[in-house]
Amino acid sequence: MHPRSPSLLPSPPRPPSRPRPHRAAQRLRRWAAALALGLPSAVPLAFAQAVPITVVSEVTPYSYASDGVTPGPATDLVRMALERAGIPAQLGVYPWARAYDMALNAPNVLIYLLVRTPEREPLFLWTAEILPLKYHLYRLSDRPEVAVSKLDDARRYPIGVIRDDVRHRYLAQQGFTMLTVAARREDNFQRLLRRQVDLLPMTDVDAADICRQFKPACPGLTRVATLDALTLGAYLAYSRGTPEELVVRTRAAFESLRADGTVQRLLARVDPNVGAVPPTAAASKP
């Protein structure tokens, strides 16, 4: 017999291949690291978002002026972060209840300024903290008969709230029954001026802004109590069902704006005393 041809001999076994990290995860880490250095070119054009995300908020001193068109510093920051991340977006201003409902029920929606509470924790993909907020109860300065020195005293008076926002939900959960609900803060303030409600829960910045907007009808506002449980952070947050890469890229871009001082500088346009916020941890998962 002739010996077997070498070409027919069995090949030696191959060594087992090492597990390779998921390529998409590797790309996300590289993009996040580059974005943190402020490099917008880190996002490849091939990965660009084909359909713009929807960005929603309401009228506040930080988001939009009372005309609903002129952007505030938070809106400027959101736009800058999305441009840096290479994510096209359509920005819109809505009554809060509608903006919240959109973010709660549709994918690829980015909402701000959303206060982060334990109740809301599983409902959204928390992306980056913009600033801390503290709410107080205010009365008109010419109404000393609205005698409130602590939160519990306010149960005797009608309070104006925005439908479905964190103040409405908190006061309702605490058993406050004299709540008058409105879609917009301007509606609530007009009721305060007409004495249809006696108190409004607002931040110091909101109070100064809305009273200035309604001059000379506004005689001034007096802070009478603090909602201590609502000293919380206001966030950028994506709706559930949004791809993880959008959350990662937006977070990295926003944190790069924080790192270079842009966040603090822009927010100081509204409140020079706004406190610095530490970087947001990557805690949310789709």
Side-chain angles (χ1 to χ4, degrees):
M1 292 181 63
H2 297 288
R4 180 179 294 179
S5 170
S7 62
L8 300 177
L9 293 175
S11 301
R14 294 182 180 179
S17 59
R18 293 183 180 180
R20 300 174 64 184
H22 195 279
R23 290 182 180 178
Q26 289 179 319
R27 288 198 299 269
L28 281 175
R29 285 194 291 270
R30 287 198 298 270
W31 294 334
L35 282 169
L37 297 175
L39 304 176
S41 60
V43 181
L45 292 177
F47 194 77
Q49 180 80 355
V51 178
I53 64 166
T54 301
V55 183
V56 297
S57 191
E58 63 175 340
V59 170
T60 76
Y62 288 105
S63 53
Y64 287 92
S66 57
D67 60 10
V69 176
T70 306
T75 299
D76 287 340
L77 287 168
V78 170
R79 184 181 289 113
M80 292 167 68
L82 293 173
E83 288 176 354
R84 184 169 288 193
I87 301 172
Q90 294 177 337
L91 280 71
V93 58
Y94 302 92
W96 181 253
R98 183 179 174 192
Y100 187 83
D101 184 71
M102 292 168 69
L104 198 60
N105 293 298
N108 298 331
V109 176
L110 181 64
I111 186 171
Y112 71 105
L113 301 145
L114 183 65
V115 174
R116 190 171 187 171
T117 66
E119 177 188 18
R120 290 173 172 174
E121 189 67 29
L123 303 179
F124 300 94
L125 306 177
W126 300 95
T127 304
E129 184 174 358
I130 301 175
L131 77 160
L133 293 179
K134 178 178 284 190
Y135 292 104
H136 312 278
L137 286 178
Y138 283 86
R139 64 166 172 83
L140 294 175
S141 296
D142 62 356
R143 297 203 59 199
E145 70 276 13
V146 180
V148 174
S149 59
K150 59 182 183 299
L151 182 58
D152 203 50
D153 296 338
R155 296 179 186 277
R156 305 192 302 267
Y157 301 98
I159 303 173
V161 293
I162 302 296
R163 184 181 307 279
D164 289 337
D165 94 332
V166 69
R167 292 158 287 184
H168 179 195
R169 292 177 180 272
Y170 172 74
L171 291 171
Q173 289 169 355
Q174 296 303 307
F176 284 75
T177 57
M178 299 176 69
L179 301 178
T180 299
V181 179
R184 305 180 310 129
R185 65 176 194 149
E186 289 79 9
D187 298 335
N188 265 336
F189 201 77
Q190 288 173 339
R191 287 171 177 167
L192 185 73
L193 293 174
R194 293 195 295 261
R195 305 196 177 196
Q196 294 171 333
V197 299
D198 294 332
L199 297 164
L200 295 180
M202 298 182 285
T203 66
D204 290 338
V205 167
D206 278 327
D209 180 73
I210 195 80
C211 189
R212 183 167 51 246
Q213 181 182 332
F214 279 84
K215 285 290 186 182
C218 178
L221 294 168
T222 298
R223 191 171 77 189
V224 295
T226 298
L227 282 68
D228 291 315
L230 293 187
T231 301
L232 300 165
Y235 276 70
L236 286 173
Y238 274 105
S239 56
R240 287 278 169 186
T242 300
E244 180 183 5
E245 54 265 30
L246 295 186
V247 179
V248 172
R249 287 159 55 191
T250 305
R251 179 181 293 125
F254 193 90
E255 295 306 334
S256 74
L257 293 170
R258 194 192 312 281
D260 67 20
T262 302
V263 172
Q264 189 83 2
R265 176 172 53 82
L266 265 62
L267 293 178
R269 289 174 6 202
V270 171
D271 182 5
N273 301 314
V274 66
V277 174
T280 305
S284 295
K285 296 293 182 183

